[in-house]
Amino acid sequence: MKFWKQAILASAALLVAVGSAGAQDVKIGFVVKQPEEPWFQDEWKFAQEAAKEKGFTLVEIGAEDGEKVQAAIDNLGAQGAQGFIICTPDVKLGPGIVAKATANDLKLMTVDDRLVDSAGAPIEDVPHMGISATKIGETVGQAIVDEIKARGWDMAEVGAIKVSYDQLPTAVDRVTGATSVLEQNGFPAANIYNAPQAKTDTEAALNAATTVINAHPEIEHWVAVGLNDEAVLGAVRATESVGIPAANVIGVGIGGAESAINEFKKPSVTGFYGTVIISPKRHGYETALNMYEWIANGKEPEKLILTSGQLATRGDYEAVRKDLGIQ
Ligand code: FCA
């Protein structure tokens, strides 16, 4: 009897030991398309917080193109990772990413940019956390409308720079959300000028916006929208480069990471009026935690989570960040 009791206790202890050793062996990849962008730096930072809290290893990988994505997934497989979260450089890589993850026996979740299949439809099987793109775009549009009114501009004479990146569905939804609110409030559709950017960074947006501004020297007042802060900052820099004063420009971005905050901290006001702050904490910490729960405890993540945003300007961004727990 005593023997059995001891044996049972011993094996229970062994199980506990094996269980906790297993948890410590969890390794999760966090792959992002633009590692230099502050938003992605923040996502990594918060994902590392989850890793520290739960005792798993988080491997940060930047993958700017399809080849790097493939290599990253193989690499994670070879390192003995059990899963990864990715913001892909190209959503059309979807089927390839799914196949590579499966081949390497890795669980897969996406963040920010949702994978699409060969027909362009979202791959719904892969758990995804994105932003409520249309709604956030609408918040951008409303902020611009309110500020146009506050400055007493004649809506009919304002030009809008729409920095676009149409191969990314969330980008389309964001800018369409913004321009639809402009139009609903009497902004002439003909005054909304498309500025397609080749890449989703400030330089590409500056180039795209410069073309639009140069084509319309008659316009004195400009507003600018885009998929993120970098896009809108590019448009604002373009207005500055041709000498349009900040008081004549209303740019509202999306993100609220360092690029936007630095702008608000400048001693004099710029044309970057505001940003809709989204949460890198939810996108970094929560996705990493959800992946951990999936690997360690078999708890499947929700298939789709869309997070919200909150408008912030020079005057209140600190309070808004605090409210979102991201300072
Ligand atoms: C996309 C954009 C990023 C960020 C993210 C939430 O990936 O490129 O700048 O806005 O969505």
Side-chain angles (χ1 to χ4, degrees):
M1 189 59 191
K2 201 174 165 204
F3 168 79
W4 283 114
K5 215 170 168 182
Q6 270 173 356
I8 288 166
L9 280 176
S11 54
L14 192 70
L15 268 179
V16 169
V18 166
S20 61
Q24 270 151 27
D25 284 345
V26 170
K27 194 181 262 191
I28 296 171
F30 204 115
V31 184
V32 305
K33 63 179 180 179
Q34 262 170 298
E36 77 291 348
E37 193 184 304
W39 165 261
F40 295 109
Q41 297 279 334
D42 284 351
E43 275 186 344
W44 274 346
K45 181 182 95 185
F46 287 112
Q48 289 293 1
E49 279 183 14
K52 209 167 150 206
E53 206 175 289
K54 292 288 177 186
F56 63 87
T57 304
L58 186 98
V59 187
E60 299 172 2
I61 306 177
E64 294 91 341
D65 59 42
E67 261 174 50
K68 287 194 181 140
V69 169
Q70 300 254 339
I73 303 173
D74 284 339
N75 192 278
L76 286 166
Q79 285 188 51
Q82 297 90 349
F84 67 101
I85 298 143
I86 185 168
C87 177
T88 176
D90 179 356
V91 291
K92 291 200 197 73
L93 296 170
I97 292 173
V98 172
K100 264 270 176 229
T102 310
N104 281 284
D105 199 16
L106 291 162
K107 291 189 164 45
L108 167 64
M109 284 170 60
T110 53
V111 70
D112 306 334
D113 300 350
R114 200 176 190 193
L115 304 178
V116 299
D117 63 19
S118 54
I123 301 184
E124 290 173 353
D125 267 0
V126 177
H128 175 70
M129 183 185 284
I131 66 168
S132 325
T134 304
K135 201 153 169 276
I136 285 170
E138 288 167 356
T139 305
V140 168
Q142 193 57 51
I144 291 175
V145 166
D146 292 346
E147 190 58 15
I148 288 176
K149 289 182 182 158
R151 295 190 193 184
W153 296 355
D154 176 1
M155 193 89 82
E157 289 182 357
V158 182
I161 305 165
K162 183 179 100 176
V163 179
S164 63
Y165 191 71
D166 286 351
Q167 54 269 61
L168 182 58
T170 182
V172 176
D173 293 346
R174 296 177 200 186
V175 294
T176 309
T179 55
S180 67
V181 170
L182 290 182
E183 287 178 38
Q184 280 155 26
N185 283 276
F187 199 102
N191 291 8
I192 300 174
Y193 303 106
N194 192 24
Q197 57 180 161
K199 276 175 67 185
T200 56
D201 62 13
T202 302
E203 196 190 340
L206 186 148
N207 293 337
T210 300
T211 307
V212 163
I213 295 166
N214 286 341
H216 297 281
E218 75 285 1
I219 293 181
E220 283 176 23
H221 294 127
W222 285 103
V223 302
V225 303
L227 98 149
N228 57 15
D229 289 331
E230 284 70 18
V232 173
L233 280 169
V236 169
R237 294 290 93 89
T239 60
E240 289 165 354
S241 73
V242 295
I244 298 171
N248 288 12
V249 179
I250 305 167
V252 177
I254 295 171
E258 205 188 4
S259 355
I261 302 311
N262 284 345
E263 200 67 14
F264 294 147
K265 283 186 178 159
K266 286 183 176 170
S268 41
V269 174
T270 74
F272 190 82
Y273 170 73
T275 181
V276 179
I277 301 189
I278 51 179
S279 178
K281 185 169 183 182
R282 295 206 60 193
H283 287 231
Y285 176 88
E286 218 174 289
T287 52
L289 192 71
N290 292 350
M291 177 56 87
Y292 172 79
E293 289 295 335
W294 194 8
I295 293 166
N297 302 320
K299 189 169 169 257
E300 280 209 32
E302 275 178 54
K303 290 288 189 217
L304 182 63
I305 299 175
L306 297 177
T307 61
S308 60
Q310 213 171 313
L311 177 69
T313 59
R314 190 172 251 263
D316 65 3
Y317 74 91
E318 273 161 330
V320 176
R321 276 166 68 86
K322 206 166 161 203
D323 206 33
L324 294 167
I326 53 169
Q327 79 286 51

